[in-house]
């Protein structure tokens, strides 16, 4: 479903974020990307929907190469879930979920906020599916807790039944219990639609629990690619550096600062 | 020597928060102020004002300022409230159907005239009928004041409509290219640089006397203000929700509508209320150059020395601005 061929990315300031990344993610796989801060996880995810343009190599989504020309057609088929949820805080939950369907709606319908009936019904259904109540529909997104906001983010990402979902540290600012619930929800929603998921995480234990496959990056290169069971303490300390053990990585200072 | 050095190193130093350079700058600024003060006669202003205050409390006999002010106030009062019109000048006048509260006054006019036949002076009595409406002039002023409010309202509407495209093209992150950005930003600066009174002067020549010139003058100037502030709010809006919508391929218009507008909306309401408030005051001023409303009436009466009419107009303006200030303060505290 997703193919990365020799992907490299050098930012204008000279930072090399990715180098020679080759990956093939088959349809329906839940692929977790691990790696220390600055390893290039976000950059890798963002090349898929063109938020970052790679300086080297080629990416294909469902066999279609990602280029400037194909992006408008590709983007609506790729859902995205963000670390900071990226909701419109002053808008209601309902409008936030429907905003995920904007590419499928004509301009004038969008301006008049007249979403077609099947989308409105789908939004209501999704709000229920992600574990929110009907009364939340008309609440402002800013009134929800972090976990609830990410549930809205997931509903927004799935409203167009995407074939690929990118989740960039979707639980980095949530506590461990809620993190598990959110990842379980993300996995269930994607299984149901047979969607391919590329999800970056900081927590090794969560990755091993939920992933079908783990890809670990270090300094922009693939340092591990295999089954969750093969990602043991030894591999972890290779990737994260010797001083950090797997259990410490669950809560790095950066995550606490964000929470 | 060693001890002082050590104590200053360990205990730190608390020098005054300004240095020689600050003192020099302040001195230079004072010198400049003194120079410009000379040019605009600040000294004379203080002397005359002081005289006026002394005269007011009875220490001094008379002063130019207080006698001038006294003359002005004396000629404005009593206010002109009623309206008196010669009946023969009213088209289709029907004495049996007078306006409300109105009555007819008959004035006799004696005049010495030369009779061409007898070549002697004769006294002729001329009778003139006047229609007197006791609140007539006040009503007329109220209508004009309302017209001024309408000018302010429509000036604000024009400003909002003009500033929407100006803001879109003047926001760096949404303008299609550098040229549109530059054009929009320079249009906005130009609009703000031309005071309403000056553009009204020229618009009156183009559109004739009346409200159109006033509406356009207010609208253009305020569009310069709103265009700039709307655009800056768009640029400063939180990018996170915008990125979420860009990522799934929503176009610019949709991103603005769903991810920017909800963020900036309260601020936009605040700016627009401020402009409306300002336009009410400016609408009276642009009337002075013939751009409609109460200002035009004021200028007309002032030019024919009808100072008691001017007094009525000033009182009505003052009361209106006062009432609107109260209303807008209340609206602001409730919605912004
Ligand atoms: N827009 C940018 N301009 C310049 N350098 C960038 C930019 N974005 C990312 N980088 C750099 O690229 C490298 C990879 O960043 P990236 O955000 O992909 O890391 P990450 O693995 O997601 O890290 P984290 O876990 O902290 O989110 C880092 O060194 C970062 O400083
Ligand atoms: Mg990241």
């Amino acid at each position: 479903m997703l193919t990365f061929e020799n992907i490299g990315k050098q930012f204008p300031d000279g930072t090399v974020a990715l180098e020679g990344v080759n990956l093939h993610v088959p349809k329906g796989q839940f692929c977790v990307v691990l790696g220390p801060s600055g390893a290039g996880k976000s950059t890798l995810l963002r090349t898929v929907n063109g938020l970052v343009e790679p300086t080297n190599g080629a990416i294909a989504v469902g066999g279609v190469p990602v280029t400037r020309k194909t992006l408008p057609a590709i983007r609506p088929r790729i859902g995205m879930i963000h670390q900071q949820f990226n909701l419109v805080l002053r808008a209601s939950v309902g409008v936030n979920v429907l905003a995920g369907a904007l590419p499928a709606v004509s301009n004038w319908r969008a301006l008049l906020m007249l979403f077609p009936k099947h989308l409105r019904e789908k939004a209501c259904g999704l709000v229920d599916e992600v574990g929110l109540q009907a009364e939340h529909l008309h609440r402002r997104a800013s009134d929800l807790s972090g976990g609830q906001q990410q549930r809205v983010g997931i509903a927004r990402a799935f409203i167009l039944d995407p074939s690929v979902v990118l989740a960039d540290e979707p639980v980095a600012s949530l506590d461990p219990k809620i993190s598990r619930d959110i990842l379980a929800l993300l996995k269930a929603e994607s299984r149901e639609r047979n969607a391919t998921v590329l999800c970056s995480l900081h927590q090794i234990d969560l990755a091993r629990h939920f992933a079908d496959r783990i890809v670990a990056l270090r300094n922009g290169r693939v340092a591990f690619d295999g089954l969750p069971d093969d990602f043991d303490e030894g591999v972890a300390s290779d990737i994260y550096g010797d001083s950090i053990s797997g259990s410490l990585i669950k809560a790095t200072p950066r995550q606490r600062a964000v929470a | 020597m060693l001890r002082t050095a050590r104590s200053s190193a360990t205990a730190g130093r608390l020098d005054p928060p300004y240095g020689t350079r600050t003192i020099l700058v302040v001195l230079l600024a004072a010198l400049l102020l003194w120079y410009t003060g000379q040019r605009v006669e600040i000294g004379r202003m203080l002397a005359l004002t002081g005289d006026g205050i002394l005269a007011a409390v009875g220490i001094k006999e008379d002063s130019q300022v207080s006698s001038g002010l006294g003359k002005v106030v004396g000629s404005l009062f009593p206010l002109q409230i009623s309206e008196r019109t010669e009946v023969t000048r009213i088209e289709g006048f029907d004495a049996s159907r007078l306006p409300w509260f109105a009555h007819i006054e008959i004035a006799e006019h004696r005049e010495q005239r030369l009779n061409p036949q007898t070549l002697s002076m004769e006294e002729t009595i001329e009778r003139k009928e006047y229609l007197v409406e006791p609140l007539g002039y006040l009503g007329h002023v109220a209508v004009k004041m309302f017209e001024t409010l309408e000018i302010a309202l429509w000036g604000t509407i024009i400003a909002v409509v003009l500033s929407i495209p100006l803001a879109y093209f003047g926001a760096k992150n949404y303008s299609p290219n550098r040229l549109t950005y530059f054009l929009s930003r320079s249009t906005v600066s130009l609009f703000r640089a031309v005071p309403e009174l000056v553009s009204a002067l020229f618009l009156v020549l183009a559109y004739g006397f009346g409200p159109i010139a006033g509406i356009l003058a207010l609208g253009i100037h305020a569009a310069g203000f709103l265009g700039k502030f709307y655009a800056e709010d768009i640029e400063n809006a939180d990018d996170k929700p915008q990125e979420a919508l860009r990522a799934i391929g929503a176009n610019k218009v949709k991103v603005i509508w769903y991810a920017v507008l909800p963020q900036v909306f309260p601020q936009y309401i605040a700016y627009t209320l401020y402009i409306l408030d300002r336009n009410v005051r400016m609408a009276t001023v642009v009337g002075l150059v013939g751009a409609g409303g109460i200002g035009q009436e004021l200028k007309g009466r002032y030019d024919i020395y009808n100072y008691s009419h001017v007094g009525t107009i000033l009182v009505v303006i003052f009361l209106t601005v006062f009432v609107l200030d109260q209303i807008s303060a209340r609206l602001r505290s409730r919605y912004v």
Side-chain angles (χ1 to χ4, degrees):
Chain A
M1 189 65 202
L2 284 178
T3 319
F4 298 82
E5 231 174 88
N6 193 29
I7 293 302
K9 173 66 189 178
Q10 182 169 22
F11 284 103
D13 66 358
T15 317
V16 176
L18 294 174
E19 228 182 328
V21 174
N22 286 294
L23 277 182
H24 174 77
V25 186
K27 178 135 191 76
Q29 191 172 64
F30 195 99
C31 179
V32 170
V33 183
L34 286 177
S37 191
K41 305 182 293 294
S42 300
T43 309
L44 182 73
L45 263 60
R46 294 160 73 86
T47 55
V48 176
N49 59 5
L51 290 180
V52 169
E53 202 177 345
T55 32
N56 269 72
I59 298 171
V61 177
V64 182
V66 178
T67 64
R68 265 187 211 175
K69 258 183 142 176
T70 56
L71 264 184
I74 288 178
R75 278 187 174 175
R77 292 170 47 215
I78 303 177
M80 194 164 192
I81 297 165
H82 308 259
Q83 178 182 350
Q84 305 289 335
F85 325 130
N86 293 19
L87 301 181
V88 184
L89 289 174
R90 294 182 57 89
S92 69
V93 166
V95 168
N96 268 292
V97 176
L98 281 170
L102 278 174
V105 171
S106 67
N107 270 337
W108 68 267
R109 268 183 180 276
L111 289 178
L112 296 175
M113 302 207 166
L114 285 175
F115 287 88
K117 190 154 179 258
H118 73 274
L119 284 177
R120 280 182 280 135
E121 281 170 355
K122 203 162 175 187
C124 293
L126 269 167
V127 165
D128 181 55
E129 244 176 84
V130 298
L132 295 173
Q133 274 76 54
E135 75 204 36
H136 286 119
L137 270 175
H138 301 286
R139 278 230 210 121
R140 273 192 185 175
S142 55
D143 294 346
L144 303 186
S145 70
Q148 288 173 324
Q149 289 195 22
Q150 194 58 297
R151 287 171 193 274
V152 177
I154 290 175
R156 175 174 70 182
F158 279 99
I159 189 167
L160 288 183
D161 293 319
S163 46
V164 174
V165 172
L166 307 170
D168 191 4
E169 296 186 30
V171 295
S173 46
L174 301 174
D175 69 46
K177 163 82 176 70
I178 294 174
S179 295
R180 273 180 180 272
D181 296 347
I182 293 288
L183 283 178
L185 175 67
L186 174 58
K187 191 159 183 182
E189 292 291 329
S190 49
R191 272 290 126 80
E192 197 177 301
R193 294 163 173 82
N194 197 22
T196 312
V197 179
L198 203 56
C199 173
S200 71
L201 286 179
H202 262 291
Q203 302 92 326
I204 297 177
D205 58 331
L206 289 180
R208 297 222 320 233
H209 186 266
F210 286 101
D212 297 330
R213 170 191 182 183
I214 291 179
V215 172
L217 296 178
R218 186 173 179 170
N219 295 332
R221 294 178 161 278
V222 177
F224 174 91
D225 182 357
L227 293 174
D229 289 341
D230 298 338
F231 194 88
D232 53 29
E233 293 283 313
V235 183
S237 61
D238 271 358
I239 285 160
Y240 286 92
D242 299 325
S243 57
I244 307 171
S245 79
S247 55
L248 269 178
I249 289 152
K250 281 184 205 164
T252 62
R254 201 182 74 104
Q255 290 164 42
R256 259 188 256 126
V258 167
Chain B
M1 192 61 204
L2 197 72
R3 263 179 60 176
T4 51
R6 181 175 293 164
S7 74
S8 76
T10 50
R13 285 166 53 153
L14 272 173
D15 290 332
Y18 50 86
T20 345
R21 236 182 56 179
T22 322
I23 297 173
L24 276 178
V25 167
V26 169
L27 280 179
L28 192 72
L31 206 69
L32 264 173
L33 279 181
W34 178 79
Y35 173 70
T36 60
Q38 292 283 305
R39 287 171 56 86
V40 298
E41 300 184 287
I42 293 292
R44 204 162 76 88
M45 177 195 90
L46 292 176
L48 286 175
T49 311
D51 275 1
I53 292 171
L54 290 183
V57 294
I59 296 176
K60 253 189 119 186
E61 280 291 285
D62 63 357
S63 111
Q64 184 188 334
V65 174
S66 61
S67 69
L69 277 180
K71 242 181 253 167
V72 169
V73 173
S75 56
L76 293 182
F77 291 96
L79 301 176
Q80 180 73 40
I81 303 292
S82 63
E83 175 100 86
R84 200 159 173 268
T85 330
E86 210 183 309
V87 165
T88 52
R89 291 201 184 173
I90 303 174
E91 231 176 286
F93 178 72
D94 182 357
S96 60
R97 296 182 62 187
L98 294 179
W100 284 351
F101 305 119
H103 63 268
I104 290 192
E105 222 173 71
I106 297 167
E108 287 186 351
H109 215 65
R110 283 164 201 277
E111 216 175 321
Q112 302 287 330
R113 271 202 194 151
L114 184 76
N115 188 327
Q117 262 101 54
T118 59
L119 289 179
S120 65
M121 298 298 278
E122 283 177 3
E123 195 178 74
T124 57
I125 300 176
E126 211 177 342
R127 289 169 138 248
K128 273 188 179 164
E129 288 189 344
Y130 289 96
L131 176 71
V132 178
E133 294 167 87
L135 296 176
Y137 190 63
L138 193 63
H140 183 66
V141 169
V143 168
K144 287 289 174 191
M145 189 71 231
F146 188 71
E147 189 179 304
T148 291
L149 296 181
E150 290 172 312
I151 291 171
L153 175 70
W154 279 98
T156 309
I157 292 174
I158 298 267
V160 170
V161 169
L162 282 179
S163 62
I164 287 171
L166 285 174
Y168 180 84
F169 290 108
K172 245 200 188 98
N173 47 347
Y174 282 93
S175 202
N177 55 55
R178 270 159 182 253
L179 182 70
T180 53
Y181 171 78
F182 175 76
L183 282 179
S184 168
R185 282 299 174 116
S186 37
T187 310
V188 160
S189 310
L190 185 74
F191 281 3
R192 250 176 322 133
V194 185
E196 291 99 332
L197 199 57
V198 175
S199 55
L201 214 54
F202 292 105
L203 286 165
V204 164
L205 296 181
Y207 289 88
F209 290 106
I212 300 176
I215 288 170
L216 284 176
L218 295 182
I220 287 174
H221 183 82
F225 178 91
L226 289 180
K228 177 182 158 74
F229 284 84
Y230 285 177
E232 276 168 9
D233 275 8
I234 293 177
E235 284 175 359
N236 295 332
D238 181 10
D239 189 56
K240 291 201 293 290
Q242 301 177 55
E243 186 185 86
L245 297 191
R246 272 199 309 273
I248 56 169
N251 63 28
K252 280 186 174 182
V253 173
K254 289 173 182 170
V255 175
I256 285 232
W257 203 245
Y258 281 82
V260 179
L261 201 67
Q263 292 186 52
V264 297
F265 195 67
Q267 211 44 46
Y268 279 16
I269 295 288
Y271 296 145
T272 311
L273 275 181
Y274 168 76
I275 285 297
L276 185 62
D277 191 84
R278 178 193 150 88
N279 275 354
V280 169
R281 278 169 283 127
M282 284 317 293
T284 57
V285 175
V286 294
L288 295 181
V289 295
I294 198 157
Q296 198 172 341
E297 174 77 14
L298 174 67
K299 178 75 163 64
R301 292 297 179 177
Y302 185 86
D303 284 350
I304 54 173
Y305 311 110
N306 280 343
Y307 291 129
S308 52
H309 292 73
V310 170
T312 310
I313 294 168
L314 291 181
V315 168
V316 168
I317 292 175
F318 171 75
L319 288 178
T320 309
V321 169
F322 180 77
V323 169
L324 287 179
D325 265 358
Q326 301 300 311
I327 294 175
S328 83
R330 227 161 266 188
L331 276 181
R332 217 174 288 251
S333 66
R334 187 173 303 175
Y335 293 109
V336 179

